[in-house]
Amino acid sequence: MPRSPYTPSVPESVSLLFYALATVLFLGALVAAWITGTAPVSPRKGRAKFLSYACVGLALIAFGTPTLLRQTTEPPLPFAGTIASVQQTGGKASHATLQVQLRNGCMLTLHSDRSSSFFRAGQAVEGQYTHSGGTLVFARFLAASGRQQGTFSNRILSVLPWGAVLLGALFFVAGWLLYRRDPLGANNAGKQS
């Protein structure tokens, strides 16, 4: 039986499990960093230094994985309609909530972490959004004649989880290379006279 496009493929409990794991790993990184800072030069200090890097890397991977899984299993959904109402805030924390009257008569609520001059009532719009969060991914704003007036792109959302996973892998590999080069953690020791 095919899965409905509106059924989330990554259950919320799985996402929460990954976020809890990321939190535990970040706490583990703090403990390992404390041991690294207080322990004398020894194999224990070298292992703690590696564990601090590894825990940060694995935490970043665990943090990015649910969003990455959601993006790869839930493609953005298309929509077309007219913006019925807009709530925008400006400044550093600008965001917008759009109520879009779809062509079939239904209302769709979309969220954006950025504002746009094209977010105005009566504006014809078509684009894509994520079902799980109702986040606007891409939009084309159309004139009454059907000519494109402008676009809105929030493609950074698709890059962020990949960045978290790659940065996490980089932390892990860097920690391993540092540990292989300095298994006693001596390079943090102050100069002795």
Side-chain angles (χ1 to χ4, degrees):
M1 181 170 157
R3 184 172 51 87
S4 164
Y6 301 110
T7 304
S9 60
V10 180
E12 190 66 28
S13 59
V14 172
S15 295
L16 291 175
L17 178 67
F18 273 100
Y19 296 144
L21 177 63
T23 302
V24 169
L25 287 166
F26 272 125
L27 292 174
L30 289 174
V31 170
W34 179 78
I35 292 171
T36 300
T38 59
V41 175
S42 65
R44 179 178 184 228
K45 181 175 182 148
R47 285 190 303 271
K49 187 176 180 183
F50 167 67
L51 282 175
S52 66
Y53 276 91
C55 284
V56 167
L58 292 173
L60 287 170
I61 291 170
F63 187 73
T65 298
T67 306
L68 190 61
L69 288 173
R70 196 173 298 116
Q71 284 181 354
T72 56
T73 58
E74 294 179 19
L77 299 173
F79 74 94
T82 304
I83 298 175
S85 67
V86 180
Q87 292 179 339
Q88 292 191 81
T89 60
K92 291 183 180 179
S94 67
H95 65 277
T97 301
L98 310 172
Q99 294 289 328
V100 178
Q101 177 85 39
L102 299 179
R103 291 181 181 156
N104 65 5
C106 296
M107 289 298 282
L108 175 65
T109 302
L110 298 174
H111 307 284
S112 170
D113 61 347
R114 296 186 352 238
S115 58
S116 169
S117 61
F118 289 104
F119 292 169
R120 57 184 178 251
Q123 176 69 58
V125 62
E126 61 183 29
Q128 298 177 335
Y129 71 101
T130 62
H131 179 264
S132 56
T135 304
L136 181 62
V137 176
F138 177 78
R140 289 183 337 127
F141 302 100
L142 307 171
S145 64
R147 187 179 55 84
Q148 179 175 310
Q149 292 179 315
T151 61
F152 174 87
S153 180
N154 206 5
R155 303 275 186 205
I156 189 80
L157 289 176
S158 61
V159 177
L160 286 176
W162 285 105
V165 169
L166 291 175
L167 185 61
L170 180 67
F171 263 92
F172 190 88
V173 170
W176 176 250
L177 292 175
L178 287 172
Y179 176 70
R180 296 284 298 170
R181 187 180 58 169
D182 183 22
L184 300 179
N187 67 355
N188 281 354
K191 292 184 179 179
Q192 299 177 355
S193 336

